[in-house]
Amino acid sequence: MEKVLRDWRLDAINKHQYESAIFVGDKLLALTNDPKDAFWLAQVHFSSGNYTRAQSFLQKHNLIDHSPSCRYLAAHCLIKQSKFDEALSILGEKNPTHLISTTSKARRKLQHLNGNSRNGPSKAGKVRIERSEERENEDVSDIKFEAAMCYLRGICYAKQNAFDRAKECYKDAVHIDVQCFEAFDQLMKNSLMSPDEEWIFLDSLNFDSISVDDSSTSQQTAQFVKMLYTTRLSKYKNPAERNNATESLSTHYGLAKNSDLLLSKADLLFTQCRFKEALAITSSILDTDEYNFSIYPLHLACLHELDQTNTLFLVSHRLADLYPEEPASWLAVGIYYLNIDKISEARRYFSKASVIDPHSGPAWIGFAHTFAAEGEHDQAISAYTTAARLFQGTHLPQLFLGMQHLQLNNLSLAGEYLNTAHQLCQTDPLLLNELGVVFYHQDHLGPAVKLFTRALHIAHEIDSDPRAWVATRANLGHAHRRQSNFSLALQEFNEVLRQGSKDVQVFCAKGLVLLELDRPWEAVCVFHEALSVSTQDPVATDLLTRALKENSRISGWGGDSEAVDEEFTYMLQRKEQNAKEFSHVNLGNNESLERSGIEDDESMMVMSDAD
């Protein structure tokens, strides 16, 4: 009879018919009085959303201290009821670190420590060996539940804003059971570790501890899981290893179209400022799984960067109508209003998203951006400070704090925040650019040049869009100009203009460099280009007057008279050649062709002089 009832219960659970499972499970427990059947019945109550009933059931049957699985379920019930202090009292505050599994590297060190040293046998080695034996004596399922309870401790501490303790609990959970992905995911998505810490943590995990039925595939399984975890790490560190893991998973295991791998690729493209390619990937994911909410923060950021207001409008309305309880829905609405410059509305919806999920990084950063957009630096600094406290492993809040203080001309504070961000991440080109700006304003031009150059080098290494770093190249040109390295400065300004920049200040800076190089006629041409962009710019007008005076003082109206004569003779020869080649065309066409030929020649002359 018991077997029939257990099969019936399992069938009902598989069909999500929880009332049937409760009905059958209650009768089964009355027949057997088995703690395992009692635990199963409590599980059904939990799955049906009756958290209070499940917790009360475990307590009345004295099951909480019976096994780690019952303690885990009782604590989970209390967490679902937001009773975090009571959950901690059941879980305890101490993690079972004696169950932590060591890697093969650590085991080799352990064997070395266990040997005889000059002072005799190592006591530390014996202690570690005893801990390893303790783990081997534990049941595998109990070890997994102990790891899961570490994860729940981390949840409780995070809700109490004790993020350092939460981070340690999450790390211990993954160390004890490398398959406890929930804890690993909390560490990654909440940015509780710096990029360097993430890679050190990954190397410390013992993937060989994963149990498989076929021992011949254990090594392959360990490598597979490690590659999956590698794709979740920071994009600012070891891009080659991440790319190798992604390619191996895509080609050898057929995961090329898996949403998590595609999201990892899109995130890397976004880091490289290749927004169109990132948007294409996120859109393809949403085409197959429209309500995969983990995709939306990156998808919405791409839409904002590409100024696709209409798409933002449609996405935000659809999400708000269908899933008003999801923070991503109100994040989308906030980004839409930010995109159309309705800052107060954007702030309200970012705040709503952060209320639904207090640990939503994009919502907090967006909330702070609204104050920065209105020039409310004090409120922006306060919001960024909250984000820095919540997300201690990411450098972005510290970077934004430094940028706010830089706008307020608080160079010392800006430098402190940017240096703190630099300790967390040394490979963000934007961060290096902002640090260079601080050094530039402090008249430390040598370090500024090094930082600007390094930022451009890293941007090139990660295959970032060059147009995204035009400002950094312009900053490098200004630093070279102030160092009197006029040839290098001219190279940088020419490259900025070649990238398509039409900034009046860049034209003016280039003209100044040409004046310093005693090339006033070329400077005159550049200042004319600046005034074609902004006809009333006072700086360009004043510099043009100075350049014309300098040019007339040196050699008349056009610089070197011989060079001008040669240019004029070349133009006449081109006109005669055009006339001969098109002599069969009627007079009207000839006149139009000659006019276009003159215009082309004049424009080429300006271009050649500018180059």
Side-chain angles (χ1 to χ4, degrees):
M1 181 61 69
E2 290 85 353
K3 184 179 185 306
V4 173
L5 291 177
R6 288 192 178 100
D7 291 341
W8 187 358
R9 180 187 62 190
L10 181 60
D11 180 66
I13 292 174
N14 290 336
K15 294 177 181 176
H16 304 285
Q17 296 176 352
Y18 298 119
E19 290 300 324
S20 298
I22 291 171
F23 174 78
V24 176
D26 179 62
K27 309 306 178 289
L28 179 62
L29 179 60
L31 287 174
T32 63
N33 201 26
D34 189 341
K36 292 184 179 179
D37 291 325
F39 174 72
W40 266 98
L41 184 54
Q43 285 271 46
V44 176
H45 286 309
F46 182 89
S47 300
S48 62
N50 296 324
Y51 307 120
T52 306
R53 187 178 180 185
Q55 192 268 335
S56 175
F57 182 84
L58 290 168
Q59 190 171 9
K60 288 181 178 178
H61 286 77
N62 297 319
L63 295 174
I64 295 178
D65 297 327
H66 182 267
S67 66
S69 59
C70 293
R71 284 175 55 210
Y72 168 80
L73 183 59
H76 206 172
C77 290
L78 291 169
I79 288 174
K80 288 294 184 179
Q81 300 172 67
S82 299
K83 298 178 180 179
F84 304 111
D85 292 333
E86 295 180 35
L88 274 176
S89 66
I90 290 177
L91 294 168
E93 296 186 359
K94 187 177 180 181
N95 293 329
T97 54
H98 62 281
L99 298 177
I100 291 178
S101 175
T102 55
T103 62
S104 57
K105 292 181 181 179
R107 281 195 295 271
R108 284 195 293 269
K109 292 181 181 178
L110 209 61
Q111 292 170 1
H112 175 70
L113 288 172
N114 199 36
N116 292 333
S117 62
R118 292 181 180 178
N119 298 324
S122 172
K123 295 181 180 179
K126 289 184 178 179
V127 172
R128 296 294 297 277
I129 290 295
E130 288 173 2
R131 288 186 176 183
S132 179
E133 290 176 353
E134 285 184 31
R135 177 184 171 90
E136 292 177 359
N137 294 331
E138 291 281 344
D139 185 76
V140 175
S141 62
D142 288 345
I143 291 176
K144 289 185 176 294
F145 275 109
E146 290 288 352
M149 283 192 283
C150 289
Y151 162 69
L152 292 185
R153 285 188 199 95
I155 293 291
C156 294
Y157 287 132
K159 293 295 184 180
Q160 296 173 347
N161 293 331
F163 297 106
D164 289 335
R165 300 187 72 176
K167 180 174 73 172
E168 293 305 316
C169 289
Y170 293 143
K171 291 172 69 174
D172 286 343
V174 187
H175 276 133
I176 294 171
D177 178 17
V178 76
Q179 292 175 280
C180 187
F181 176 75
E182 284 83 356
F184 182 82
D185 189 46
Q186 288 293 325
L187 288 168
M188 297 302 115
K189 74 178 185 181
N190 291 325
S191 300
L192 295 179
M193 295 188 291
S194 67
D196 287 331
E197 287 178 320
E198 289 180 3
W199 284 94
I200 293 172
F201 176 66
L202 182 73
D203 290 337
S204 69
L205 297 179
N206 183 18
F207 293 96
D208 293 330
S209 64
I210 299 175
S211 59
V212 292
D213 295 333
D214 187 359
S215 60
S216 62
T217 61
S218 60
Q219 188 66 30
Q220 183 182 7
T221 303
Q223 189 65 23
F224 176 76
V225 176
K226 184 175 183 179
M227 288 189 293
L228 286 177
Y229 281 16
T230 301
T231 62
R232 307 280 296 194
L233 301 186
S234 171
K235 311 302 179 294
Y236 294 102
K237 188 77 175 178
N238 298 335
E241 291 188 34
R242 289 187 65 263
N243 289 336
N244 291 336
T246 303
E247 289 300 321
S248 180
L249 290 169
S250 301
T251 55
H252 297 164
Y253 296 97
L255 297 178
K257 295 184 179 180
N258 180 263
S259 60
D260 287 333
L261 257 65
L262 291 175
L263 178 59
S264 178
K265 290 181 180 179
D267 199 5
L268 179 61
L269 290 171
F270 186 86
T271 304
Q272 297 170 347
C273 302
R274 295 158 65 179
F275 304 118
K276 287 185 178 179
E277 297 173 55
L279 180 61
I281 293 177
T282 57
S283 299
S284 67
I285 298 172
L286 293 174
D287 286 341
T288 56
D289 186 6
E290 185 177 1
Y291 301 108
N292 185 343
F293 292 104
S294 63
I295 308 297
Y296 275 101
L298 182 59
H299 182 69
L300 295 169
C302 292
L303 291 174
H304 174 68
E305 291 291 344
L306 297 172
D307 199 25
Q308 296 195 14
T309 306
N310 292 337
T311 307
L312 276 172
F313 177 83
L314 293 172
V315 171
S316 59
H317 268 268
R318 184 170 64 250
L319 290 176
D321 289 340
L322 296 176
Y323 294 96
E325 74 284 355
E326 285 290 334
S329 302
W330 305 111
L331 176 67
V333 177
I335 291 176
Y336 166 72
Y337 279 115
L338 183 64
N339 209 55
I340 61 174
D341 293 327
K342 290 189 176 181
I343 305 301
S344 59
E345 289 86 349
R347 184 180 304 126
R348 183 165 67 250
Y349 288 110
F350 284 136
S351 177
K352 187 171 184 177
S354 66
V355 168
I356 296 174
D357 181 8
H359 301 285
S360 174
W364 275 106
I365 295 296
F367 181 71
H369 282 347
T370 60
F371 290 113
E374 290 183 331
E376 299 287 346
H377 299 294
D378 291 339
Q379 289 89 337
I381 288 171
S382 176
Y384 286 132
T385 301
T386 303
R389 181 173 56 84
L390 292 174
F391 314 105
Q392 301 174 8
T394 178
H395 68 290
L396 292 178
Q398 304 288 347
L399 168 61
F400 295 138
L401 281 167
M403 293 170 71
Q404 288 299 307
H405 284 291
L406 189 56
Q407 291 183 25
L408 292 171
N409 204 30
N410 296 329
L411 296 181
S412 58
L413 281 174
E416 288 181 13
Y417 281 114
L418 292 173
N419 281 318
T420 302
H422 189 254
Q423 291 174 5
L424 294 172
C425 179
Q426 293 85 29
T427 54
D428 184 0
L430 177 59
L431 171 59
L432 296 174
N433 174 73
E434 296 301 320
L435 266 174
V437 171
V438 171
F439 282 116
Y440 178 89
H441 286 299
Q442 292 175 336
D443 294 329
H444 302 316
L445 299 178
V449 168
K450 290 181 180 178
L451 286 167
F452 292 140
T453 304
R454 187 176 167 215
L456 293 171
H457 176 69
I458 292 175
H460 176 72
E461 275 189 341
I462 64 176
D463 197 23
S464 182
D465 188 350
R467 291 171 294 181
W469 307 105
V470 165
T472 304
R473 193 171 293 279
N475 291 340
L476 178 59
H478 285 299
H480 281 312
R481 176 180 60 81
R482 288 188 57 190
Q483 282 187 317
S484 300
N485 296 328
F486 299 118
S487 297
L488 294 175
L490 186 61
Q491 287 180 4
E492 300 301 334
F493 290 133
N494 282 333
E495 183 62 27
V496 169
L497 296 173
R498 196 174 293 116
Q499 294 288 346
S501 175
K502 294 295 181 183
D503 190 350
V504 175
Q505 294 181 359
V506 175
F507 282 113
C508 292
K510 179 181 176 182
L512 275 174
V513 171
L514 290 170
L515 284 175
E516 294 289 348
L517 292 172
D518 293 328
R519 294 157 65 177
W521 176 245
E522 295 179 48
V524 168
C525 297
V526 171
F527 292 136
H528 274 297
E529 291 184 74
L531 290 171
S532 69
V533 176
S534 178
T535 56
Q536 302 297 324
D537 186 76
V539 176
T541 303
D542 181 59
L543 290 175
L544 175 61
T545 303
R546 291 171 54 189
L548 288 170
K549 289 180 181 178
E550 183 70 15
N551 182 68
S552 62
R553 185 184 66 82
I554 293 177
S555 55
W557 69 273
D560 190 350
S561 58
E562 294 182 2
V564 174
D565 289 342
E566 291 178 2
E567 190 71 30
F568 186 69
T569 304
Y570 172 72
M571 290 169 57
L572 290 178
Q573 290 175 352
R574 286 286 305 274
K575 285 176 60 180
E576 292 175 0
Q577 183 178 358
N578 289 338
K580 291 179 181 178
E581 290 178 355
F582 301 106
S583 59
H584 62 283
V585 185
N586 59 51
L587 181 60
N589 288 338
N590 276 334
E591 291 176 353
S592 63
L593 285 169
E594 287 174 2
R595 284 197 297 271
S596 65
I598 292 173
E599 292 170 358
D600 289 344
D601 288 334
E602 290 176 345
S603 64
M604 287 178 64
M605 181 178 68
V606 173
M607 289 295 292
S608 62
D609 289 337
D611 292 336

